[in-house]
Amino acid sequence: MSKVNQLFDSELNIVNLGLESFSKELKSQKKKVVHVDWRPVAGGNKKLAALLEKLS
């Protein structure tokens, strides 16, 4: 068995970043998952993120 197949045959501990629906789907399959409600700084706006960085 390849190492990739071995990985997916083992019990996974999953950290989900962003889409909560993905973690809900995993939970419905009885997988161990922790959801992190992450979003890019300033909604992904690079100019605003740079300005916020200067404040810190």
Side-chain angles (χ1 to χ4, degrees):
M1 179 181 291
S2 74
K3 290 189 178 202
V4 171
N5 288 339
Q6 288 175 353
L7 171 68
F8 288 106
D9 274 346
S10 63
E11 184 177 352
L12 300 176
N13 295 303
I14 303 158
V15 176
N16 178 63
L17 300 173
L19 292 175
E20 187 175 12
S21 60
F22 187 69
S23 67
K24 287 180 179 179
E25 179 62 30
L26 291 167
K27 285 181 182 179
S28 76
Q29 296 176 35
K30 308 292 188 226
K31 303 297 180 191
K32 291 182 181 178
V33 60
V34 173
H35 173 70
V36 178
D37 186 15
W38 179 86
R39 297 162 199 257
V41 175
N45 181 313
K46 290 181 181 182
K47 287 183 179 182
L48 185 55
L51 289 171
L52 289 171
E53 179 65 28
K54 288 180 181 182
L55 291 174
S56 62

mmCIF file of all heavy atoms in Angstrom:
data_model
loop_
_atom_site.group_PDB
_atom_site.id
_atom_site.type_symbol
_atom_site.label_atom_id
_atom_site.label_comp_id
_atom_site.label_asym_id
_atom_site.label_seq_id
_atom_site.Cartn_x
_atom_site.Cartn_y
_atom_site.Cartn_z
ATOM 1 N N MET A 1 0.856 -1.183 0.000
ATOM 2 C CA MET A 1 0.000 0.000 0.000
ATOM 3 C C MET A 1 0.894 1.237 0.000
ATOM 4 O O MET A 1 1.859 1.314 0.737
ATOM 5 C CB MET A 1 -0.900 -0.037 1.238
ATOM 6 C CG MET A 1 -1.811 1.157 1.344
ATOM 7 S SD MET A 1 -2.882 1.196 2.809
ATOM 8 C CE MET A 1 -4.003 -0.137 2.473
ATOM 9 N N SER A 2 0.533 2.222 -0.822
ATOM 10 C CA SER A 2 1.346 3.434 -0.892
ATOM 11 C C SER A 2 1.167 4.263 0.381
ATOM 12 O O SER A 2 0.196 4.105 1.123
ATOM 13 C CB SER A 2 0.951 4.265 -2.105
ATOM 14 O OG SER A 2 -0.284 4.904 -1.881
ATOM 15 N N LYS A 3 2.104 5.167 0.619
ATOM 16 C CA LYS A 3 2.036 6.018 1.808
ATOM 17 C C LYS A 3 0.803 6.921 1.777
ATOM 18 O O LYS A 3 0.228 7.211 2.818
ATOM 19 C CB LYS A 3 3.308 6.845 1.946
ATOM 20 C CG LYS A 3 4.502 5.995 2.321
ATOM 21 C CD LYS A 3 5.688 6.838 2.655
ATOM 22 C CE LYS A 3 6.827 5.912 3.075
ATOM 23 N NZ LYS A 3 7.809 6.586 3.884
ATOM 24 N N VAL A 4 0.394 7.354 0.594
ATOM 25 C CA VAL A 4 -0.811 8.189 0.482
ATOM 26 C C VAL A 4 -2.031 7.384 0.913
ATOM 27 O O VAL A 4 -2.871 7.859 1.679
ATOM 28 C CB VAL A 4 -0.990 8.723 -0.956
ATOM 29 C CG1 VAL A 4 -2.335 9.388 -1.141
ATOM 30 C CG2 VAL A 4 0.139 9.669 -1.311
ATOM 31 N N ASN A 5 -2.141 6.162 0.440
ATOM 32 C CA ASN A 5 -3.268 5.314 0.831
ATOM 33 C C ASN A 5 -3.234 5.022 2.323
ATOM 34 O O ASN A 5 -4.287 4.974 2.968
ATOM 35 C CB ASN A 5 -3.272 4.011 0.035
ATOM 36 C CG ASN A 5 -3.666 4.225 -1.409
ATOM 37 O OD1 ASN A 5 -4.302 5.217 -1.755
ATOM 38 N ND2 ASN A 5 -3.278 3.309 -2.272
ATOM 39 N N GLN A 6 -2.056 4.839 2.890
ATOM 40 C CA GLN A 6 -1.941 4.614 4.328
ATOM 41 C C GLN A 6 -2.439 5.827 5.100
ATOM 42 O O GLN A 6 -3.115 5.686 6.123
ATOM 43 C CB GLN A 6 -0.494 4.311 4.716
ATOM 44 C CG GLN A 6 -0.014 2.956 4.282
ATOM 45 C CD GLN A 6 1.468 2.753 4.589
ATOM 46 O OE1 GLN A 6 2.157 3.675 5.013
ATOM 47 N NE2 GLN A 6 1.953 1.549 4.339
ATOM 48 N N LEU A 7 -2.111 7.014 4.614
ATOM 49 C CA LEU A 7 -2.555 8.243 5.263
ATOM 50 C C LEU A 7 -4.077 8.282 5.347
ATOM 51 O O LEU A 7 -4.650 8.553 6.397
ATOM 52 C CB LEU A 7 -2.047 9.474 4.507
ATOM 53 C CG LEU A 7 -2.613 10.816 4.966
ATOM 54 C CD1 LEU A 7 -2.120 11.157 6.372
ATOM 55 C CD2 LEU A 7 -2.234 11.912 3.998
ATOM 56 N N PHE A 8 -4.747 8.000 4.247
ATOM 57 C CA PHE A 8 -6.199 8.106 4.226
ATOM 58 C C PHE A 8 -6.885 6.910 4.878
ATOM 59 O O PHE A 8 -8.088 6.968 5.141
ATOM 60 C CB PHE A 8 -6.701 8.345 2.809
ATOM 61 C CG PHE A 8 -6.381 9.738 2.342
ATOM 62 C CD1 PHE A 8 -5.373 9.976 1.424
ATOM 63 C CD2 PHE A 8 -7.060 10.828 2.861
ATOM 64 C CE1 PHE A 8 -5.071 11.256 1.018
ATOM 65 C CE2 PHE A 8 -6.768 12.122 2.460
ATOM 66 C CZ PHE A 8 -5.767 12.333 1.540
ATOM 67 N N ASP A 9 -6.160 5.862 5.174
ATOM 68 C CA ASP A 9 -6.717 4.746 5.941
ATOM 69 C C ASP A 9 -6.597 4.992 7.438
ATOM 70 O O ASP A 9 -7.262 4.343 8.228
ATOM 71 C CB ASP A 9 -6.002 3.435 5.595
ATOM 72 C CG ASP A 9 -6.627 2.769 4.382
ATOM 73 O OD1 ASP A 9 -7.738 3.164 3.984
ATOM 74 O OD2 ASP A 9 -5.996 1.831 3.847
ATOM 75 N N SER A 10 -5.750 5.950 7.834
ATOM 76 C CA SER A 10 -5.570 6.240 9.259
ATOM 77 C C SER A 10 -6.587 7.279 9.717
ATOM 78 O O SER A 10 -7.235 7.946 8.918
ATOM 79 C CB SER A 10 -4.151 6.739 9.517
ATOM 80 O OG SER A 10 -3.933 7.950 8.840
ATOM 81 N N GLU A 11 -6.721 7.408 11.040
ATOM 82 C CA GLU A 11 -7.624 8.411 11.594
ATOM 83 C C GLU A 11 -7.011 9.793 11.414
ATOM 84 O O GLU A 11 -5.860 10.032 11.779
ATOM 85 C CB GLU A 11 -7.861 8.135 13.073
ATOM 86 C CG GLU A 11 -8.857 9.073 13.696
ATOM 87 C CD GLU A 11 -9.148 8.739 15.138
ATOM 88 O OE1 GLU A 11 -8.705 7.700 15.642
ATOM 89 O OE2 GLU A 11 -9.831 9.550 15.776
ATOM 90 N N LEU A 12 -7.774 10.709 10.834
ATOM 91 C CA LEU A 12 -7.282 12.051 10.577
ATOM 92 C C LEU A 12 -7.808 13.025 11.626
ATOM 93 O O LEU A 12 -8.933 12.894 12.101
ATOM 94 C CB LEU A 12 -7.741 12.532 9.199
ATOM 95 C CG LEU A 12 -7.287 11.709 7.998
ATOM 96 C CD1 LEU A 12 -7.904 12.266 6.729
ATOM 97 C CD2 LEU A 12 -5.779 11.698 7.895
ATOM 98 N N ASN A 13 -6.993 13.994 11.997
ATOM 99 C CA ASN A 13 -7.396 15.119 12.830
ATOM 100 C C ASN A 13 -7.302 16.335 11.926
ATOM 101 O O ASN A 13 -6.224 16.700 11.474
ATOM 102 C CB ASN A 13 -6.480 15.262 14.047
ATOM 103 C CG ASN A 13 -6.608 14.074 14.967
ATOM 104 O OD1 ASN A 13 -7.689 13.768 15.431
ATOM 105 N ND2 ASN A 13 -5.510 13.396 15.217
ATOM 106 N N ILE A 14 -8.442 16.980 11.667
ATOM 107 C CA ILE A 14 -8.533 17.988 10.621
ATOM 108 C C ILE A 14 -8.748 19.376 11.218
ATOM 109 O O ILE A 14 -9.564 19.548 12.114
ATOM 110 C CB ILE A 14 -9.698 17.648 9.678
ATOM 111 C CG1 ILE A 14 -9.500 16.237 9.107
ATOM 112 C CG2 ILE A 14 -9.835 18.681 8.568
ATOM 113 C CD1 ILE A 14 -10.763 15.599 8.617
ATOM 114 N N VAL A 15 -8.022 20.355 10.689
ATOM 115 C CA VAL A 15 -8.249 21.760 11.017
ATOM 116 C C VAL A 15 -8.758 22.412 9.742
ATOM 117 O O VAL A 15 -8.088 22.386 8.711
ATOM 118 C CB VAL A 15 -6.958 22.458 11.503
ATOM 119 C CG1 VAL A 15 -7.222 23.939 11.740
ATOM 120 C CG2 VAL A 15 -6.419 21.779 12.745
ATOM 121 N N ASN A 16 -9.956 22.959 9.801
ATOM 122 C CA ASN A 16 -10.584 23.595 8.655
ATOM 123 C C ASN A 16 -10.510 25.107 8.807
ATOM 124 O O ASN A 16 -10.921 25.662 9.812
ATOM 125 C CB ASN A 16 -12.048 23.148 8.569
ATOM 126 C CG ASN A 16 -12.771 23.808 7.426
ATOM 127 O OD1 ASN A 16 -12.434 23.625 6.276
ATOM 128 N ND2 ASN A 16 -13.763 24.610 7.755
ATOM 129 N N LEU A 17 -9.971 25.778 7.790
ATOM 130 C CA LEU A 17 -9.872 27.238 7.794
ATOM 131 C C LEU A 17 -10.840 27.801 6.764
ATOM 132 O O LEU A 17 -10.737 27.483 5.591
ATOM 133 C CB LEU A 17 -8.452 27.692 7.445
ATOM 134 C CG LEU A 17 -7.348 27.221 8.358
ATOM 135 C CD1 LEU A 17 -6.005 27.604 7.791
ATOM 136 C CD2 LEU A 17 -7.522 27.782 9.743
ATOM 137 N N GLY A 18 -11.757 28.643 7.218
ATOM 138 C CA GLY A 18 -12.617 29.345 6.274
ATOM 139 C C GLY A 18 -14.010 28.790 6.138
ATOM 140 O O GLY A 18 -14.868 29.103 6.944
ATOM 141 N N LEU A 19 -14.249 27.972 5.135
ATOM 142 C CA LEU A 19 -15.597 27.527 4.809
ATOM 143 C C LEU A 19 -16.164 26.588 5.870
ATOM 144 O O LEU A 19 -15.761 25.432 5.988
ATOM 145 C CB LEU A 19 -15.629 26.816 3.461
ATOM 146 C CG LEU A 19 -15.357 27.670 2.243
ATOM 147 C CD1 LEU A 19 -15.299 26.802 0.999
ATOM 148 C CD2 LEU A 19 -16.386 28.763 2.088
ATOM 149 N N GLU A 20 -17.123 27.084 6.635
ATOM 150 C CA GLU A 20 -17.712 26.280 7.702
ATOM 151 C C GLU A 20 -18.463 25.075 7.153
ATOM 152 O O GLU A 20 -18.511 24.021 7.781
ATOM 153 C CB GLU A 20 -18.637 27.141 8.556
ATOM 154 C CG GLU A 20 -19.142 26.425 9.784
ATOM 155 C CD GLU A 20 -19.958 27.315 10.699
ATOM 156 O OE1 GLU A 20 -20.327 28.437 10.294
ATOM 157 O OE2 GLU A 20 -20.221 26.884 11.823
ATOM 158 N N SER A 21 -19.046 25.203 5.967
ATOM 159 C CA SER A 21 -19.798 24.088 5.389
ATOM 160 C C SER A 21 -18.910 22.869 5.182
ATOM 161 O O SER A 21 -19.371 21.729 5.293
ATOM 162 C CB SER A 21 -20.447 24.503 4.069
ATOM 163 O OG SER A 21 -19.475 24.906 3.131
ATOM 164 N N PHE A 22 -17.631 23.095 4.913
ATOM 165 C CA PHE A 22 -16.705 21.971 4.744
ATOM 166 C C PHE A 22 -16.540 21.214 6.060
ATOM 167 O O PHE A 22 -16.588 19.986 6.088
ATOM 168 C CB PHE A 22 -15.359 22.479 4.230
ATOM 169 C CG PHE A 22 -14.403 21.377 3.867
ATOM 170 C CD1 PHE A 22 -14.622 20.558 2.770
ATOM 171 C CD2 PHE A 22 -13.273 21.154 4.634
ATOM 172 C CE1 PHE A 22 -13.738 19.548 2.441
ATOM 173 C CE2 PHE A 22 -12.382 20.145 4.308
ATOM 174 C CZ PHE A 22 -12.612 19.342 3.208
ATOM 175 N N SER A 23 -16.391 21.934 7.159
ATOM 176 C CA SER A 23 -16.238 21.265 8.454
ATOM 177 C C SER A 23 -17.521 20.555 8.861
ATOM 178 O O SER A 23 -17.480 19.473 9.438
ATOM 179 C CB SER A 23 -15.789 22.241 9.543
ATOM 180 O OG SER A 23 -16.789 23.188 9.814
ATOM 181 N N LYS A 24 -18.673 21.144 8.539
ATOM 182 C CA LYS A 24 -19.951 20.490 8.856
ATOM 183 C C LYS A 24 -20.086 19.174 8.107
ATOM 184 O O LYS A 24 -20.574 18.185 8.650
ATOM 185 C CB LYS A 24 -21.110 21.416 8.533
ATOM 186 C CG LYS A 24 -21.264 22.551 9.510
ATOM 187 C CD LYS A 24 -22.440 23.443 9.151
ATOM 188 C CE LYS A 24 -22.594 24.567 10.159
ATOM 189 N NZ LYS A 24 -23.704 25.467 9.818
ATOM 190 N N GLU A 25 -19.651 19.168 6.854
ATOM 191 C CA GLU A 25 -19.713 17.933 6.060
ATOM 192 C C GLU A 25 -18.815 16.858 6.666
ATOM 193 O O GLU A 25 -19.191 15.692 6.761
ATOM 194 C CB GLU A 25 -19.315 18.208 4.608
ATOM 195 C CG GLU A 25 -19.323 16.990 3.713
ATOM 196 C CD GLU A 25 -20.690 16.337 3.577
ATOM 197 O OE1 GLU A 25 -21.709 17.042 3.668
ATOM 198 O OE2 GLU A 25 -20.736 15.110 3.381
ATOM 199 N N LEU A 26 -17.614 17.250 7.086
ATOM 200 C CA LEU A 26 -16.705 16.292 7.713
ATOM 201 C C LEU A 26 -17.283 15.754 9.023
ATOM 202 O O LEU A 26 -17.198 14.558 9.304
ATOM 203 C CB LEU A 26 -15.338 16.931 7.955
ATOM 204 C CG LEU A 26 -14.533 17.221 6.701
ATOM 205 C CD1 LEU A 26 -13.364 18.130 7.022
ATOM 206 C CD2 LEU A 26 -14.063 15.930 6.062
ATOM 207 N N LYS A 27 -17.878 16.650 9.816
ATOM 208 C CA LYS A 27 -18.500 16.214 11.077
ATOM 209 C C LYS A 27 -19.635 15.233 10.819
ATOM 210 O O LYS A 27 -19.820 14.284 11.576
ATOM 211 C CB LYS A 27 -18.998 17.412 11.872
ATOM 212 C CG LYS A 27 -17.886 18.176 12.538
ATOM 213 C CD LYS A 27 -18.431 19.355 13.342
ATOM 214 C CE LYS A 27 -17.286 20.144 13.954
ATOM 215 N NZ LYS A 27 -17.784 21.311 14.718
ATOM 216 N N SER A 28 -20.391 15.454 9.758
ATOM 217 C CA SER A 28 -21.493 14.541 9.438
ATOM 218 C C SER A 28 -20.972 13.150 9.067
ATOM 219 O O SER A 28 -21.698 12.164 9.155
ATOM 220 C CB SER A 28 -22.354 15.097 8.305
ATOM 221 O OG SER A 28 -21.723 14.954 7.049
ATOM 222 N N GLN A 29 -19.697 13.082 8.671
ATOM 223 C CA GLN A 29 -19.054 11.805 8.352
ATOM 224 C C GLN A 29 -18.286 11.246 9.548
ATOM 225 O O GLN A 29 -17.487 10.336 9.407
ATOM 226 C CB GLN A 29 -18.117 11.982 7.162
ATOM 227 C CG GLN A 29 -18.824 12.372 5.889
ATOM 228 C CD GLN A 29 -17.854 12.628 4.754
ATOM 229 O OE1 GLN A 29 -16.818 11.977 4.641
ATOM 230 N NE2 GLN A 29 -18.185 13.581 3.907
ATOM 231 N N LYS A 30 -18.540 11.841 10.728
ATOM 232 C CA LYS A 30 -17.922 11.407 11.993
ATOM 233 C C LYS A 30 -16.404 11.580 11.998
ATOM 234 O O LYS A 30 -15.677 10.790 12.599
ATOM 235 C CB LYS A 30 -18.278 9.949 12.318
ATOM 236 C CG LYS A 30 -19.753 9.629 12.280
ATOM 237 C CD LYS A 30 -20.492 10.309 13.386
ATOM 238 C CE LYS A 30 -21.921 9.823 13.437
ATOM 239 N NZ LYS A 30 -22.897 10.840 13.569
ATOM 240 N N LYS A 31 -15.912 12.608 11.325
ATOM 241 C CA LYS A 31 -14.478 12.913 11.335
ATOM 242 C C LYS A 31 -14.189 13.933 12.425
ATOM 243 O O LYS A 31 -15.032 14.762 12.743
ATOM 244 C CB LYS A 31 -14.025 13.488 9.985
ATOM 245 C CG LYS A 31 -14.319 12.604 8.801
ATOM 246 C CD LYS A 31 -13.589 11.302 8.868
ATOM 247 C CE LYS A 31 -13.915 10.452 7.655
ATOM 248 N NZ LYS A 31 -13.446 9.099 7.788
ATOM 249 N N LYS A 32 -12.989 13.864 12.995
ATOM 250 C CA LYS A 32 -12.567 14.840 13.989
ATOM 251 C C LYS A 32 -12.123 16.093 13.252
ATOM 252 O O LYS A 32 -11.189 16.057 12.462
ATOM 253 C CB LYS A 32 -11.411 14.306 14.831
ATOM 254 C CG LYS A 32 -11.802 13.182 15.749
ATOM 255 C CD LYS A 32 -10.612 12.755 16.576
ATOM 256 C CE LYS A 32 -10.972 11.613 17.490
ATOM 257 N NZ LYS A 32 -9.818 11.166 18.272
ATOM 258 N N VAL A 33 -12.816 17.203 13.511
ATOM 259 C CA VAL A 33 -12.507 18.445 12.794
ATOM 260 C C VAL A 33 -12.697 19.635 13.730
ATOM 261 O O VAL A 33 -13.603 19.661 14.544
ATOM 262 C CB VAL A 33 -13.377 18.594 11.523
ATOM 263 C CG1 VAL A 33 -14.840 18.622 11.841
ATOM 264 C CG2 VAL A 33 -12.990 19.807 10.715
ATOM 265 N N VAL A 34 -11.791 20.589 13.606
ATOM 266 C CA VAL A 34 -11.891 21.856 14.324
ATOM 267 C C VAL A 34 -12.021 22.928 13.257
ATOM 268 O O VAL A 34 -11.220 22.991 12.324
ATOM 269 C CB VAL A 34 -10.632 22.114 15.192
ATOM 270 C CG1 VAL A 34 -10.674 23.507 15.788
ATOM 271 C CG2 VAL A 34 -10.502 21.054 16.265
ATOM 272 N N HIS A 35 -13.058 23.759 13.394
ATOM 273 C CA HIS A 35 -13.285 24.835 12.427
ATOM 274 C C HIS A 35 -12.720 26.144 12.964
ATOM 275 O O HIS A 35 -12.970 26.504 14.110
ATOM 276 C CB HIS A 35 -14.773 25.000 12.138
ATOM 277 C CG HIS A 35 -15.075 26.194 11.292
ATOM 278 N ND1 HIS A 35 -14.734 26.256 9.961
ATOM 279 C CD2 HIS A 35 -15.646 27.376 11.586
ATOM 280 C CE1 HIS A 35 -15.096 27.434 9.479
ATOM 281 N NE2 HIS A 35 -15.653 28.125 10.450
ATOM 282 N N VAL A 36 -11.942 26.843 12.143
ATOM 283 C CA VAL A 36 -11.405 28.155 12.482
ATOM 284 C C VAL A 36 -12.035 29.156 11.520
ATOM 285 O O VAL A 36 -11.886 29.035 10.305
ATOM 286 C CB VAL A 36 -9.861 28.190 12.355
ATOM 287 C CG1 VAL A 36 -9.329 29.577 12.661
ATOM 288 C CG2 VAL A 36 -9.238 27.141 13.256
ATOM 289 N N ASP A 37 -12.765 30.117 12.065
ATOM 290 C CA ASP A 37 -13.422 31.129 11.229
ATOM 291 C C ASP A 37 -12.380 32.178 10.844
ATOM 292 O O ASP A 37 -12.268 33.225 11.461
ATOM 293 C CB ASP A 37 -14.582 31.758 11.993
ATOM 294 C CG ASP A 37 -15.394 32.698 11.127
ATOM 295 O OD1 ASP A 37 -15.258 32.660 9.882
ATOM 296 O OD2 ASP A 37 -16.168 33.484 11.693
ATOM 297 N N TRP A 38 -11.600 31.876 9.822
ATOM 298 C CA TRP A 38 -10.511 32.749 9.387
ATOM 299 C C TRP A 38 -10.924 33.517 8.147
ATOM 300 O O TRP A 38 -11.592 32.994 7.254
ATOM 301 C CB TRP A 38 -9.267 31.922 9.076
ATOM 302 C CG TRP A 38 -8.128 32.765 8.601
ATOM 303 C CD1 TRP A 38 -7.216 33.405 9.373
ATOM 304 C CD2 TRP A 38 -7.787 33.074 7.246
ATOM 305 N NE1 TRP A 38 -6.322 34.096 8.593
ATOM 306 C CE2 TRP A 38 -6.660 33.913 7.270
ATOM 307 C CE3 TRP A 38 -8.337 32.741 6.019
ATOM 308 C CZ2 TRP A 38 -6.071 34.399 6.119
ATOM 309 C CZ3 TRP A 38 -7.747 33.238 4.866
ATOM 310 C CH2 TRP A 38 -6.618 34.055 4.931
ATOM 311 N N ARG A 39 -10.519 34.757 8.090
ATOM 312 C CA ARG A 39 -10.735 35.608 6.916
ATOM 313 C C ARG A 39 -9.475 36.426 6.690
ATOM 314 O O ARG A 39 -8.796 36.786 7.651
ATOM 315 C CB ARG A 39 -11.910 36.542 7.141
ATOM 316 C CG ARG A 39 -13.230 35.807 7.324
ATOM 317 C CD ARG A 39 -14.259 36.710 7.971
ATOM 318 N NE ARG A 39 -15.321 35.919 8.552
ATOM 319 C CZ ARG A 39 -16.513 35.775 8.003
ATOM 320 N NH1 ARG A 39 -16.800 36.371 6.876
ATOM 321 N NH2 ARG A 39 -17.422 35.032 8.575
ATOM 322 N N PRO A 40 -9.160 36.759 5.445
ATOM 323 C CA PRO A 40 -7.983 37.576 5.187
ATOM 324 C C PRO A 40 -8.100 38.950 5.867
ATOM 325 O O PRO A 40 -9.201 39.493 5.988
ATOM 326 C CB PRO A 40 -7.964 37.749 3.668
ATOM 327 C CG PRO A 40 -8.926 36.768 3.126
ATOM 328 C CD PRO A 40 -9.876 36.408 4.222
ATOM 329 N N VAL A 41 -6.978 39.486 6.279
ATOM 330 C CA VAL A 41 -6.943 40.821 6.873
ATOM 331 C C VAL A 41 -7.540 41.819 5.892
ATOM 332 O O VAL A 41 -7.257 41.757 4.686
ATOM 333 C CB VAL A 41 -5.483 41.209 7.214
ATOM 334 C CG1 VAL A 41 -5.407 42.641 7.709
ATOM 335 C CG2 VAL A 41 -4.912 40.248 8.240
ATOM 336 N N ALA A 42 -8.375 42.701 6.381
ATOM 337 C CA ALA A 42 -9.008 43.763 5.583
ATOM 338 C C ALA A 42 -9.793 43.202 4.404
ATOM 339 O O ALA A 42 -9.901 43.832 3.360
ATOM 340 C CB ALA A 42 -7.963 44.764 5.106
ATOM 341 N N GLY A 43 -10.312 41.993 4.578
ATOM 342 C CA GLY A 43 -11.112 41.395 3.510
ATOM 343 C C GLY A 43 -10.320 41.106 2.251
ATOM 344 O O GLY A 43 -10.879 40.937 1.181
ATOM 345 N N GLY A 44 -8.993 41.049 2.374
ATOM 346 C CA GLY A 44 -8.139 40.787 1.217
ATOM 347 C C GLY A 44 -7.694 42.036 0.475
ATOM 348 O O GLY A 44 -6.955 41.943 -0.502
ATOM 349 N N ASN A 45 -8.113 43.201 0.939
ATOM 350 C CA ASN A 45 -7.729 44.467 0.304
ATOM 351 C C ASN A 45 -6.280 44.776 0.703
ATOM 352 O O ASN A 45 -5.992 45.102 1.840
ATOM 353 C CB ASN A 45 -8.667 45.585 0.768
ATOM 354 C CG ASN A 45 -8.358 46.921 0.137
ATOM 355 O OD1 ASN A 45 -7.217 47.349 0.076
ATOM 356 N ND2 ASN A 45 -9.408 47.580 -0.334
ATOM 357 N N LYS A 46 -5.366 44.684 -0.260
ATOM 358 C CA LYS A 46 -3.931 44.830 0.029
ATOM 359 C C LYS A 46 -3.567 46.223 0.544
ATOM 360 O O LYS A 46 -2.748 46.367 1.441
ATOM 361 C CB LYS A 46 -3.101 44.485 -1.210
ATOM 362 C CG LYS A 46 -3.134 43.016 -1.551
ATOM 363 C CD LYS A 46 -2.288 42.707 -2.767
ATOM 364 C CE LYS A 46 -2.353 41.242 -3.116
ATOM 365 N NZ LYS A 46 -1.518 40.916 -4.259
ATOM 366 N N LYS A 47 -4.162 47.256 -0.038
ATOM 367 C CA LYS A 47 -3.844 48.622 0.400
ATOM 368 C C LYS A 47 -4.308 48.854 1.832
ATOM 369 O O LYS A 47 -3.570 49.404 2.661
ATOM 370 C CB LYS A 47 -4.498 49.641 -0.524
ATOM 371 C CG LYS A 47 -3.842 49.750 -1.878
ATOM 372 C CD LYS A 47 -4.500 50.830 -2.719
ATOM 373 C CE LYS A 47 -3.824 50.939 -4.072
ATOM 374 N NZ LYS A 47 -4.416 52.009 -4.894
ATOM 375 N N LEU A 48 -5.509 48.411 2.156
ATOM 376 C CA LEU A 48 -6.035 48.574 3.504
ATOM 377 C C LEU A 48 -5.231 47.739 4.496
ATOM 378 O O LEU A 48 -4.926 48.198 5.601
ATOM 379 C CB LEU A 48 -7.512 48.208 3.552
ATOM 380 C CG LEU A 48 -8.234 48.428 4.860
ATOM 381 C CD1 LEU A 48 -8.087 49.864 5.342
ATOM 382 C CD2 LEU A 48 -9.710 48.070 4.719
ATOM 383 N N ALA A 49 -4.851 46.542 4.103
ATOM 384 C CA ALA A 49 -4.043 45.685 4.973
ATOM 385 C C ALA A 49 -2.694 46.344 5.271
ATOM 386 O O ALA A 49 -2.200 46.289 6.411
ATOM 387 C CB ALA A 49 -3.839 44.318 4.339
ATOM 388 N N ALA A 50 -2.092 46.985 4.274
ATOM 389 C CA ALA A 50 -0.811 47.678 4.475
ATOM 390 C C ALA A 50 -0.968 48.841 5.439
ATOM 391 O O ALA A 50 -0.100 49.073 6.293
ATOM 392 C CB ALA A 50 -0.247 48.150 3.143
ATOM 393 N N LEU A 51 -2.067 49.563 5.330
ATOM 394 C CA LEU A 51 -2.320 50.677 6.251
ATOM 395 C C LEU A 51 -2.522 50.161 7.680
ATOM 396 O O LEU A 51 -2.004 50.746 8.634
ATOM 397 C CB LEU A 51 -3.539 51.471 5.808
ATOM 398 C CG LEU A 51 -3.378 52.312 4.536
ATOM 399 C CD1 LEU A 51 -4.724 52.876 4.088
ATOM 400 C CD2 LEU A 51 -2.359 53.425 4.771
ATOM 401 N N LEU A 52 -3.254 49.076 7.825
ATOM 402 C CA LEU A 52 -3.463 48.488 9.155
ATOM 403 C C LEU A 52 -2.144 47.995 9.757
ATOM 404 O O LEU A 52 -1.929 48.111 10.950
ATOM 405 C CB LEU A 52 -4.478 47.343 9.063
ATOM 406 C CG LEU A 52 -5.916 47.763 8.814
ATOM 407 C CD1 LEU A 52 -6.774 46.531 8.526
ATOM 408 C CD2 LEU A 52 -6.477 48.544 9.974
ATOM 409 N N GLU A 53 -1.275 47.467 8.915
ATOM 410 C CA GLU A 53 0.029 46.985 9.379
ATOM 411 C C GLU A 53 0.845 48.137 9.952
ATOM 412 O O GLU A 53 1.558 47.988 10.940
ATOM 413 C CB GLU A 53 0.777 46.307 8.227
ATOM 414 C CG GLU A 53 2.141 45.793 8.587
ATOM 415 C CD GLU A 53 2.115 44.660 9.616
ATOM 416 O OE1 GLU A 53 1.122 43.922 9.682
ATOM 417 O OE2 GLU A 53 3.123 44.526 10.364
ATOM 418 N N LYS A 54 0.750 49.306 9.352
ATOM 419 C CA LYS A 54 1.489 50.473 9.832
ATOM 420 C C LYS A 54 1.004 50.911 11.214
ATOM 421 O O LYS A 54 1.775 51.476 11.989
ATOM 422 C CB LYS A 54 1.358 51.635 8.851
ATOM 423 C CG LYS A 54 2.123 51.430 7.576
ATOM 424 C CD LYS A 54 1.949 52.618 6.645
ATOM 425 C CE LYS A 54 2.712 52.387 5.351
ATOM 426 N NZ LYS A 54 2.615 53.537 4.450
ATOM 427 N N LEU A 55 -0.257 50.638 11.528
ATOM 428 C CA LEU A 55 -0.794 51.014 12.840
ATOM 429 C C LEU A 55 -0.273 50.127 13.977
ATOM 430 O O LEU A 55 -0.243 50.552 15.103
ATOM 431 C CB LEU A 55 -2.338 50.943 12.817
ATOM 432 C CG LEU A 55 -3.038 51.991 11.973
ATOM 433 C CD1 LEU A 55 -4.533 51.705 11.932
ATOM 434 C CD2 LEU A 55 -2.780 53.382 12.514
ATOM 435 N N SER A 56 0.116 48.922 13.641
ATOM 436 C CA SER A 56 0.537 48.001 14.712
ATOM 437 C C SER A 56 1.991 48.034 15.027
ATOM 438 O O SER A 56 2.795 48.777 14.759
ATOM 439 C CB SER A 56 0.192 46.576 14.354
ATOM 440 O OG SER A 56 0.854 46.153 13.185
#
